Amino acid sequence: MSSSEQRVAIVTGAARGIGAATAIRLATEGRAVAVLDLDEEACRETVEQITEAGGKAVAVGCDVSDAEQVEAAVARVVGELGAPTVLVNNAGVLRDNLLFKMSDADWDAVLNVHLRGAFLMSRACQSHMVEAGFGRIVSLSSSSALGNRGQINYAAAKAGMQGLTKTLAKELGKFGVTANSVAPGFIVTDMTAATAERVGMGFEDFQTAAASQIPVQRVGRPEDVANAIAFFASDAAGFVSGQVMYVAGGPLN
Ligand code: NAP
């Protein structure tokens, strides 16, 4: 048995999209996976896919922006699977609008889920990683971290994820814990489908238009991102920390 087969991973926002693909990918590598999302029932499909393939997973309902729920969820994972030594901060929401129309609530919602959520989850998991002398924290940033019209809240949150990642890397490195960030470009999920709807385009047309601007001439799939996350989460990536990997089919300038 390789050491990674004993690892317990938590993937937030894993009911669907990139989180679900990541949970499934980590499970195929022998990790026991806590599939965490707002609605526990919504996690069932991901859990079933993992267990039907012979893996181990549990569904955990939790709002990552709520400190009490986060503490309770991590305690549950420790009880049901064991101490988490891999954490993927993936949960996310969009509340896009131009600055002059953006409400306080939309700013807070996005900052709370992405940034406060990643902070709370990392804080709740770090003691288990430090105790194990091993940990991998991977947080989802975005190409929007470089700035994107209509996404002042999301761009700020995703740039913040990069600062959070580099700080985690500096604070926790001496305990065997690495922290890295994966920054996807256009990935086909419900999130990009919602953006297509907001801008009044059919999703197929939206994807075709996006693909034409991407050097590899296609849009991304959740599995493309899961592959990058799996590398950072691997035992083999122990000397790679504080990095941001853009997974966008090309450079972003
Ligand atoms: P998605 O399909 O919308 O999935 C996001 C998941 O997060 C949903 O299941 C959602 O639950 C969950 N979630 C939302 N708020 C939560 C909370 N407070 N606590 C726990 N879970 C919560 O999104 P995705 O496209 O897979 O994106 C995953 C991550 O990648 C996000 O951080 C996103 O910003 C980032 N990303 C995506 C793209 C892209 O092109 N898709 C590009 C760059 C970065 P509900 O369904 O109940 O809301």
Side-chain angles (χ1 to χ4, degrees), residues 29-193:
E29 294 178 355
R31 292 174 181 75
V33 183
V35 176
L36 187 150
D37 211 292
L38 265 182
D39 174 11
E40 188 160 325
E41 206 41 49
C43 299
R44 300 273 173 225
E45 204 179 309
T46 310
V47 169
E48 273 171 29
Q49 277 196 60
I50 291 171
T51 51
E52 278 167 14
K56 193 170 179 186
V58 294
V60 179
C62 170
D63 177 349
V64 296
S65 66
D66 182 302
E68 272 181 28
Q69 288 189 37
V70 165
E71 291 296 331
V74 173
R76 227 186 106 188
V77 174
V78 173
E80 292 183 27
L81 293 178
T85 52
V86 175
L87 168 65
V88 182
N89 288 312
N90 168 80
V93 290
L94 289 182
R95 297 283 186 275
D96 293 354
N97 227 327
L98 292 174
L99 173 62
F100 77 103
K101 288 192 282 188
M102 182 157 299
S103 67
D104 297 8
D106 285 347
W107 172 268
D108 289 345
V110 169
L111 271 289
N112 281 342
V113 175
H114 295 270
L115 210 41
R116 183 178 157 83
F119 155 65
L120 293 176
M121 287 298 306
S122 302
R123 191 179 63 181
C125 290
Q126 58 80 29
S127 61
H128 301 291
M129 298 180 182
V130 169
E131 199 169 315
F134 174 94
R136 299 282 183 263
I137 301 174
V138 186
S139 300
L140 272 288
S141 179
S142 166
S143 54
S144 295
L146 303 171
N148 199 24
R149 188 178 155 80
Q151 293 197 315
I152 195 162
N153 48 1
Y154 186 75
K158 290 310 201 185
M161 292 297 248
Q162 299 187 11
L164 175 136
T165 291
K166 289 171 197 285
T167 304
L168 288 173
K170 289 187 177 186
E171 289 192 11
L172 299 178
K174 64 182 171 198
F175 304 109
V177 180
T178 66
N180 290 285
S181 190
V182 171
F186 189 116
I187 310 297
V188 177
T189 68
D190 292 347
M191 189 175 270
T192 35

Side-chain angles (χ1 to χ4, degrees), residues 190-209:
D190 292 347
M191 189 175 270
T192 35
T195 304
E197 201 174 328
R198 179 176 64 83
V199 300
M201 278 179 83
F203 195 28
E204 290 296 324
D205 290 344
F206 194 56
Q207 289 180 51
T208 304

Side-chain angles (χ1 to χ4, degrees), residues 4-23:
S4 66
E5 283 180 89
Q6 300 151 10
R7 310 277 185 225
V8 172
I10 299 179
V11 183
T12 72
R16 55 200 173 92
I18 293 167
T22 300

